Amino acid sequence: NSPEIQKLLFCGVGCAVQAFRAIQHTLPLEEVYVLGTNCADNSPTPEMAREFLNRSVPEVDNGKILGYEFMQDFRVHVKYDDGKGSSSPSYEKKPYFCLP
């Protein structure tokens, strides 16, 4: 509750936005902007999740993707098997603003 903060941009997944909206009225802000992001756990269908990945990270073979997550660094972290036999997966990281 810093009096110097008059404008706020809140970025988060749907459940975080709902929680923020529940307390927003208690904050002394002049303006609030909300950027809602997708939640990897809430894709409507597996087909839509695959389409999202095909369009977002075309450089990664969709069949090798192990998972993806919208992270606090404002990037989507796509975990995949690079086929090099490594014991740890590789990651492709795409900024939110680059997503289709």
Side-chain angles (χ1 to χ4, degrees), residues 12-53:
V13 294
C15 57
V17 169
Q18 288 180 348
F20 173 74
R21 292 288 194 201
I23 64 158
Q24 178 182 346
H25 69 280
T26 67
L27 304 172
L29 300 169
E30 291 179 10
E31 294 182 58
V32 173
Y33 302 91
V34 175
L35 173 64
T37 62
N38 296 329
C39 179
D41 296 335
N42 291 330
S43 181
T45 66
E47 293 79 21
M48 290 184 83
R50 280 191 291 279
E51 177 63 22
F52 168 76
L53 291 168

Side-chain angles (χ1 to χ4, degrees), residues 20-88:
F20 173 74
R21 292 288 194 201
I23 64 158
Q24 178 182 346
H25 69 280
T26 67
L27 304 172
L29 300 169
E30 291 179 10
E31 294 182 58
V32 173
Y33 302 91
V34 175
L35 173 64
T37 62
N38 296 329
C39 179
D41 296 335
N42 291 330
S43 181
T45 66
E47 293 79 21
M48 290 184 83
R50 280 191 291 279
E51 177 63 22
F52 168 76
L53 291 168
N54 283 335
R55 294 178 63 202
S56 301
V57 286
E59 61 274 13
V60 177
D61 178 359
N62 201 286
K64 296 185 182 275
I65 293 176
L66 305 171
Y68 65 101
E69 192 169 352
F70 289 80
M71 300 297 286
Q72 297 88 344
D73 65 356
F74 302 105
R75 296 186 295 173
V76 178
H77 293 203
V78 180
K79 179 170 58 170
Y80 66 98
D81 177 1
D82 62 11
K84 296 179 182 174
S86 174
S87 60
S88 59

